[in-house]
Amino acid sequence: MKTESLPQNHFTETDLQAEWNLLLKQLQRKDTFIFNAVKSFKIVKSGENQITVLFPSDSAKVEFDKVSREFFNHFKTKVHNFSIEIIYKRDIENLKIEVMTKRKIFEKFIEKNPLLKDLDDLMRFDLT
């Protein structure tokens, strides 16, 4: 099927983010496993007819693949643009989710207010 004859309407980053957030909300209710796998993805408009999907790991992308066709078909129909190209990029650095322990949170506070270290030394907080 030739895409030249299909509509290629303009869409905005806002349109894209609104649909992405809607998908995340639906997944959170319907399929928490896929939701947890894809919630850290970043989806950005990278060109007039181009969307870039930044994903943290191959295993997360496998889960996204289960819903991506339906999501992008829905989006293309909604914005009347059927020549959107999807580009996938692995982005481990920016998308990794750091597990924040009480100790790590406290250390971040110490960076902002060094007096907390003295207080911890004095009070011996239990941050386990």
Side-chain angles (χ1 to χ4, degrees):
M1 185 161 96
K2 295 228 181 284
T3 57
E4 293 87 42
S5 60
L6 292 171
Q8 297 182 14
N9 289 4
H10 173 75
F11 67 96
T12 65
E13 179 72 22
T14 306
D15 296 330
L16 183 60
Q17 295 309 320
E19 288 305 308
W20 176 243
N21 289 326
L22 191 65
L23 173 72
L24 288 177
K25 280 186 185 141
Q26 290 169 349
L27 285 175
Q28 196 170 17
R29 283 194 310 270
K30 272 193 332 199
D31 194 329
T32 52
F33 187 77
I34 294 177
F35 169 76
N36 285 324
V38 303
K39 68 183 177 186
S40 66
F41 281 38
K42 294 278 179 267
I43 296 190
V44 293
K45 180 178 179 179
S46 49
E48 182 52 41
N49 292 318
Q50 189 178 61
I51 295 172
T52 299
V53 178
L54 301 166
F55 62 97
S57 69
D58 292 333
S59 59
K61 186 181 178 302
V62 166
E63 293 306 315
F64 180 65
D65 288 344
K66 295 175 182 175
V67 295
S68 62
R69 171 175 272 136
E70 185 182 345
F71 171 70
F72 287 121
N73 285 342
H74 168 77
F75 184 73
K76 288 174 182 181
T77 304
K78 182 158 183 151
V79 297
H80 301 295
N81 185 329
F82 295 90
S83 61
I84 295 173
E85 179 189 7
I86 314 299
I87 296 170
Y88 289 93
K89 277 190 185 162
R90 195 158 168 204
D91 186 0
I92 303 162
E93 279 310 299
N94 297 321
L95 300 179
K96 69 179 175 196
I97 298 171
E98 186 179 352
V99 178
M100 293 301 285
T101 61
K102 288 179 183 176
R103 172 59 59 192
K104 280 187 182 174
I105 293 169
F106 190 72
E107 286 168 0
K108 289 209 183 283
F109 281 129
I110 288 174
E111 288 172 19
K112 292 178 182 158
N113 187 346
L115 287 175
L116 287 173
K117 172 121 182 60
D118 298 337
L119 190 59
D120 183 35
D121 293 341
L122 182 68
M123 303 293 286
R124 302 207 191 294
F125 294 131
D126 179 17
L127 298 169
T128 53

